[in-house]
């Protein structure tokens, strides 16, 4: 196990932080004066901000470079990450099977195809050839109904901006078709073209920061320039709404899914055969609504309308109101949350439920009769690949110490056949123990949490704990595999994953209990998770690290302000740190259903100001944990200004001597599509920072 070094981190000189660009900006929010001295950092392309970013990265690199075991951590993470991996096959319209795989040496997984699910593969599309450093990610592949063409979407440097290209499927030749400034889109084929969603071209120099408005749907015909694309749908009355299309494979109908205003989606449908009018299925965006299939003009819909834990229904556009929907899979009476439904051949469905944050899969008939449960090995996450066009079903299972295993499932017999097991050097899942506990939050609510540890780790109060949480946006944290986590576990650390309110673990009620003026429940749940690990004898505050990303970065920032005494290290990643102005950047306005905004009411503004991380950092000598903030220059989801202003405020405040650093990645975004090399570099720095400040030398040579 790791070696504990009494005293603290390795000796380093007092850190001199760069002076951040600042001014005397203040503003009023319902009579409250809000100080915003680092407003200049919102201009992420100014020379002053760029100079500050460069200076901050030099300070951080200087600190990290003095950690003696940093190189050893990097070497171990290289070994842990460079394993052979394979994704689920999908039988496409050309009759071939497509799947992603990586031999362990590639930054991005390669898309292969073969004549059978286990046949000899050929490379269909290699995203590693799209850039020299792996920073172009392949984000989606969509084959035309006749299999003749394949559209694919890419992201550059982690941005949400999407480009669409088109290939001849058989020859793999790239066509001239090229779509730019698309965002939050796929390619929905109809005839010899496809529908996609895009914005107008942004202002030059503000591509990654200005608010995005006016999301539109276009139809692109193969062989024509984007300038000739047909505007298929727009909604000038709601410029902040998202819009996406869903087109029936049989060409019978098209649905429009709207989002951005509430926590769910609105749905409209139109008969394409009769050039019919739009029919409203659900007008509000207060409920989850996801079209699963459109068959002969009728809509199969996954929905929370009338079911806070979701159900599956059939909608006839001739009678579109919810009272006339035909229920196929009802809300689970035992409290499980229906998380997905898909066709498995023309006569069956595969449905996945969450029960206490762990996936359970079931086979149903198309009419809604449950046939049997698909048995899974343990707590975990399941992904299913199936289609209405054939009876072949494949699924992938993974958990905290179980890398992905691929199975072929036989509908008739219920037999699962393992055909690919990911193997990682030195990993024996039997060496580790995964447990689920239920702890009590500050208001008496029972909250589930998974803990993972080596079987030899005992509750002696001497174990480093890595506590992770999210708690928002109706997202469930299921047991999932992360190779980087193995370094922590093999060094005697405990990984704890708390299923906080604000997520979807128990449906709408659980989600809403962590939103708007109930957001403090999320932070209190997280604090109570840490206290549970201490009170149960597993650890102490001197050995506690917390981490979270995006909304989880907000979680970490707010929790540190509330209880700085409870943690030794904090890693807020790409976090939402300025709750008074978050809605003014890129798609920040879309988060208002979870957070509320400072423009809503005096009460909402005060509530946000009272927990906003950047506005509540102590400046009275209260010791804070060591903090490493992470962000990236192409993050147009949570703009880096959040992390810039938070780090600058931390560094200018009197919060004790522990380091307060920021790591600003280049040619990277919010996280999706990041090349493996950058993932390894980032986790190397995170673990180096953590261990250095815990006073632990990890065992890195294996």
């Amino acid at each position: 196990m790791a070696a504990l070094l009494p005293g603290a981190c390795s000796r380093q000189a007092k850190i001199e932080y760069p002076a951040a660009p600042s001014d005397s900006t203040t503003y009023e929010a319902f009579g409250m004066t809000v100080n915003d001295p680092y407003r200049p950092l919102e201009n992420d392309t100014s020379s002053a901000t760029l100079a500050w970013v460069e200076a901050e990265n030099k300070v951080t690199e200087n600190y990290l470079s003095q950690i003696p075991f940093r190189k050893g951590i990097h070497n171990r993470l290289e070994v842990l990450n460079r394993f052979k991996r394979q994704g689920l096959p999908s039988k496409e319209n050309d009759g071939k099977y497509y799947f992603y795989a990586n031999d362990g040496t590639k930054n991005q997984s390669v898309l292969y195809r073969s004549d059978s699910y286990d046949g000899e593969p050929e490379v269909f599309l290699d995203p590693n050839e799209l850039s020299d450093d792996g920073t172009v990610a392949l984000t989606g592949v969509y084959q035309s109904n006749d299999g003749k063409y394949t559209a694919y979407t890419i992201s550059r440097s982690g941005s949400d901006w999407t480009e669409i290209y088109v290939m001849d499927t058989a020859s793999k030749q790239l066509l001239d078709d090229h779509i730019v400034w698309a965002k939050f889109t796929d390619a929905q084929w109809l005839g010899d073209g496809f529908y996609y969603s895009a914005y107008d071209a942004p202002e030059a120099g503000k591509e990654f920061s200005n608010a995005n408005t006016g999301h539109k749907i276009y139809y692109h015909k193969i062989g024509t320039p984007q300038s000739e694309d047909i505007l298929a749908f727009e909604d000038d009355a709601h410029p902040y709404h998202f819009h996406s299309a869903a087109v029936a494979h049989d060409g019978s109908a098209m649905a429009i899914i709207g989002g951005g205003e509430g926590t769910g989606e609105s749905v409209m449908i139109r008969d394409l055969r009769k050039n019919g009018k739009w029919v409203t299925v659900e007008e509000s965006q207060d409920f989850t609504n996801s079209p699963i299939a459109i068959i002969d003009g009728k809509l199969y819909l996954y929905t929370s309308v009338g079911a806070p834990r979701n159900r599956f229904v059939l909608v006839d556009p001739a009678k579109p109101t919810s009272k006339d929907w035909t229920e196929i899979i009802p809300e689970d009476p035992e409290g499980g949350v229906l998380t997905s439904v898909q066709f498995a051949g023309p006569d069956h469905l595969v449905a996945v439920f969450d029960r206490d944050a762990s996936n359970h899969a079931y086979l149903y008939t198309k009419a809604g009769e449950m046939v049997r449960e698909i048995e899974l090995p343990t707590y975990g996450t399941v992904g299913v690949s199936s289609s209405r066009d054939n009876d072949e079903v494949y699924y992938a299972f993974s958990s905290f110490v179980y890398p992905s295993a691929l199975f072929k499932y036989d509908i008739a017999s219920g037999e699962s056949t393992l055909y690919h097991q990911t193997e990682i050097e030195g990993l024996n899942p039997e060496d580790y123990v995964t447990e689920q506990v239920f702890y009590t939050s500050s208001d008496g609510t029972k909250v589930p949490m998974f803990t993972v540890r080596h079987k030899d780790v005992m509750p002696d109060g001497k174990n480093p704990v890595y506590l992770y949480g999210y708690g928002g946006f109706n997202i469930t944290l299921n047991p999932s595999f992360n190779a980087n986590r193995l370094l922590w576990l093999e060094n005697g650390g405990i990984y704890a994953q708390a299923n906080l309110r604000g997520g979807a673990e128990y449906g709408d009620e659980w989600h809403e209990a962590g939103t708007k003026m109930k957001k403090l429940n999320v932070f209190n749940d997280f604090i109570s998770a840490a206290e549970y690990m201490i009170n149960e004898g597993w650890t102490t505050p001197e050995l506690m690290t917390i981490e979270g990303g995006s909304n989880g970065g907000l979680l970490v920032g707010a929790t540190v302000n509330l209880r700085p005494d409870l943690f030794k290290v904090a890693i807020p990643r790409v976090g939402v740190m300025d709750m008074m102005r978050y809605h003014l950047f890129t798609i920040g306005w879309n988060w208002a259903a979870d957070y509320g905004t400072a423009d809503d009411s005096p009460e909402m503004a005060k509530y946000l100001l009272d927990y906003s991380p950047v506005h509540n950092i102590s400046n009275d000598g209260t010791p804070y944990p060591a903090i490493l903030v992470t962000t990236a220059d192409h993050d147009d989801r949570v703009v880096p200004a959040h992390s810039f202003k938070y780090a600058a405020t931390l560094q200018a405040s009197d919060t004790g001597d522990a380091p307060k650093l920021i790591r600003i990645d280049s040619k990277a975004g919010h996280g999706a599509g990041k090349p493996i090399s950058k993932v390894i570099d980032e986790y190397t720095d995170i673990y180096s920072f953590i261990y250095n400040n815990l006073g632990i030398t990890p065992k890195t040579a294996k």
Side-chain angles (χ1 to χ4, degrees):
M1 298 298 174
L4 184 63
L5 301 179
C9 58
S10 60
R11 300 293 180 184
Q12 295 196 353
K14 181 177 173 60
I15 300 172
E16 297 293 334
Y17 300 111
S22 62
D23 58 23
S24 56
T25 297
T26 62
Y27 59 94
E28 296 292 315
F30 292 104
M32 299 181 295
T33 299
V34 182
N35 295 318
D36 195 8
Y38 297 110
R39 177 74 65 85
L41 288 172
E42 291 182 0
N43 185 352
D44 57 357
T45 59
S46 74
S47 58
T49 298
L50 293 174
W52 178 81
V53 166
E54 182 179 4
E56 287 285 352
N57 274 340
K58 284 183 178 178
V59 168
T60 300
E61 174 58 27
N62 180 63
Y63 176 93
L64 294 170
S65 67
Q66 297 179 53
I67 298 174
F69 44 77
R70 184 189 187 196
K71 181 174 174 42
I73 287 177
H74 188 277
N75 292 343
R76 181 59 185 150
L77 290 176
E78 277 277 2
V79 172
L80 290 172
N81 277 277
R82 298 301 184 180
F83 59 91
K84 293 181 180 180
R85 63 202 78 189
Q86 183 173 324
L88 285 169
S90 173
K91 190 174 184 180
E92 294 297 331
N93 297 325
D94 63 348
K96 294 184 181 293
Y97 295 76
Y98 289 76
F99 62 91
Y100 289 92
N102 193 326
D103 64 3
T105 67
K106 302 289 195 301
N107 270 317
Q108 302 282 350
S109 292
V110 178
L111 181 61
Y112 292 89
R113 69 178 174 188
S114 60
D115 293 329
S116 63
Y117 79 92
D118 57 355
E120 186 66 27
E122 67 164 332
V123 173
F124 181 68
L125 183 57
D126 184 355
N128 298 285
E129 296 180 354
L130 302 179
S131 64
D132 294 333
D133 55 4
T135 56
V136 173
L138 180 61
T139 55
V141 179
Y142 313 94
Q143 200 171 103
S144 62
N145 295 333
D146 60 6
K148 183 177 180 181
Y149 301 113
T150 298
Y152 66 89
T153 55
I154 66 163
S155 164
R156 299 185 187 276
S157 301
S159 169
D160 280 337
W161 287 116
T162 296
E163 297 175 48
I164 307 176
Y165 291 87
V166 182
M167 298 169 62
D168 178 277
T169 305
S171 68
K172 300 186 289 187
Q173 290 299 307
L174 191 65
L175 305 184
D176 291 335
D177 303 75
H178 181 208
I179 307 299
V180 297
W181 303 122
K183 189 175 270 198
F184 313 124
T185 189
D186 55 9
Q188 288 284 312
W189 285 92
L190 181 67
D192 57 356
F194 56 85
Y195 293 93
Y196 67 93
S197 305
Y199 289 103
D200 294 337
E203 178 186 347
K206 300 294 183 181
E207 295 90 344
F208 305 109
S209 57
N210 276 5
N212 300 142
T213 59
H215 206 218
K216 303 176 180 69
I217 297 176
Y218 294 90
Y219 180 79
H220 175 76
K221 184 177 181 179
I222 297 301
T224 63
Q226 184 176 2
S227 59
E228 295 181 10
D229 289 355
I230 299 169
L231 178 62
F233 185 85
E234 66 177 332
D235 184 0
D236 290 337
H238 300 96
Y240 290 105
H241 284 189
F242 301 125
H243 305 102
S244 58
V247 181
H249 190 81
D250 59 16
S252 61
M254 172 180 176
I256 297 289
I257 304 95
E261 184 175 48
T263 58
E265 299 82 26
S266 60
V267 182
M268 299 187 301
I269 191 168
R270 183 166 73 91
D271 192 318
L272 296 176
R273 299 165 298 188
K274 302 176 182 178
N275 197 25
K277 296 181 179 179
W278 289 109
V279 174
T280 299
V281 174
E282 172 57 43
E283 183 175 14
S284 81
Q285 295 178 10
D286 296 335
F287 303 96
T288 297
N289 287 294
S290 179
I292 302 304
I294 305 173
I295 303 172
D296 195 25
K298 295 182 179 180
L299 176 65
Y300 287 84
L301 185 68
Y302 167 81
T303 182
S304 67
V305 174
R309 296 187 305 280
N310 308 323
R311 59 181 177 149
F312 184 58
V313 301
L314 175 62
V315 180
D316 184 345
K319 297 182 291 183
T321 57
S322 59
K323 67 181 179 61
D324 293 316
W325 296 353
T326 300
E327 189 168 78
I328 299 173
I329 301 178
E331 184 179 44
D332 181 18
E334 297 181 5
V337 180
L338 181 63
T339 63
S340 69
V341 182
Q342 59 197 71
F343 274 88
D347 301 319
H348 289 90
L349 305 164
V350 175
V352 177
F353 288 83
D354 266 341
R355 302 189 188 282
D356 292 327
S358 186
N359 282 178
H360 296 257
Y362 300 84
L363 182 70
Y364 283 80
T365 67
K366 180 182 175 182
E369 178 185 353
M370 203 269 277
V371 179
R372 69 179 76 90
E373 183 170 4
I374 301 172
E375 298 294 336
L376 303 176
T378 183
Y379 302 115
T381 300
V382 63
V384 180
S385 175
S386 65
S387 164
R388 181 172 173 268
D389 298 327
N390 60 76
D391 288 327
E392 297 180 54
V393 177
Y394 306 90
Y395 68 89
F397 174 82
S398 63
S399 190
F400 294 114
V401 293
Y402 287 87
S404 182
L406 305 184
F407 298 85
K408 190 175 192 297
Y409 181 74
D410 186 85
I411 289 177
S413 68
E415 181 181 356
S416 294
T417 304
L418 175 68
Y419 73 90
H420 178 81
Q421 174 68 69
T422 302
E423 295 183 358
I424 296 180
E425 179 184 332
L427 171 62
N428 178 7
E430 302 305 315
D431 288 341
Y432 298 94
V433 176
T434 298
E435 296 177 313
Q436 186 174 45
V437 300
F438 293 83
Y439 64 89
T440 303
S441 190
S442 58
D443 64 354
T445 300
K446 292 291 185 182
V447 181
M449 177 168 64
F450 292 104
T451 64
V452 190
R453 57 182 171 82
H454 193 277
K455 62 185 179 182
D456 294 338
V457 171
M458 295 292 119
D460 58 6
K462 299 178 181 179
N463 306 299
V465 168
Y466 192 120
L467 176 61
Y468 178 81
Y470 187 78
F473 296 95
N474 218 20
I475 292 172
T476 297
L477 291 185
N478 297 119
S480 61
F481 182 75
N482 184 332
N484 301 292
R485 192 181 297 136
L486 297 177
L487 184 139
W488 182 260
L489 294 173
E490 67 188 18
N491 279 283
I494 299 173
Y495 175 76
Q497 182 169 290
N499 295 104
L500 315 171
R501 280 175 284 184
E505 283 81 354
Y506 297 105
D508 287 349
E509 183 179 354
W510 191 256
H511 169 225
E512 291 168 4
T515 62
K516 294 187 175 178
M517 295 183 72
K518 299 177 182 177
K519 189 66 178 178
L520 283 176
N521 286 337
V522 183
F523 311 142
N524 289 332
D525 287 356
F526 203 48
I527 289 168
S528 296
E531 291 175 332
Y532 174 88
M533 296 302 292
I534 294 167
N535 294 337
E536 291 296 308
W538 292 105
T539 193
T540 67
E542 289 297 303
L543 292 168
M544 178 77 71
T545 295
I546 53 172
E547 188 250 300
S550 194
N551 174 73
L554 160 64
L555 170 70
V556 171
T559 301
V560 164
N561 287 338
L562 291 167
R563 287 295 304 275
D565 60 302
L566 202 53
F567 316 106
K568 186 66 173 179
V569 183
I571 312 291
R573 302 173 69 186
V574 292
V576 186
M577 299 305 201
D578 185 344
M579 298 308 296
M580 302 298 286
R581 289 175 57 78
Y582 76 85
H583 57 297
L584 303 179
F585 304 100
T586 60
I587 62 157
W589 46 264
N590 180 50
W591 313 330
D594 247 56
Y595 296 148
T597 77
D599 299 331
D600 290 348
S601 68
E603 295 78 14
M604 190 74 253
K606 185 177 187 306
Y607 193 88
L608 290 168
L609 185 60
D610 284 349
Y611 78 76
S612 178
V614 75
H615 297 100
N616 290 280
I617 295 169
S618 295
N619 192 26
D620 58 3
T622 299
Y624 267 39
I627 300 175
L628 177 63
V629 184
T630 73
T631 187
D633 60 357
H634 280 66
D635 189 346
D636 48 0
R637 184 79 58 85
V638 179
V639 294
H642 282 281
S643 294
F644 290 176
K645 293 165 72 172
Y646 174 70
T649 306
L650 270 176
Q651 293 174 356
S653 300
D654 184 3
T655 59
D657 295 332
K660 315 295 188 305
L661 301 176
I662 182 168
R663 183 187 190 276
I664 306 157
D665 208 348
S666 62
K667 296 188 72 176
H670 199 58
K674 187 175 289 188
I676 291 177
S677 59
K678 279 187 170 290
V679 172
I680 292 171
D681 289 345
E682 182 175 14
Y683 270 95
T684 295
D685 291 348
I686 288 172
Y687 279 133
S688 297
F689 184 85
I690 292 172
Y691 281 122
N692 195 53
N693 284 282
L694 293 181
I696 293 175
T697 297
K699 179 180 63 176
T700 55
K702 287 190 64 84

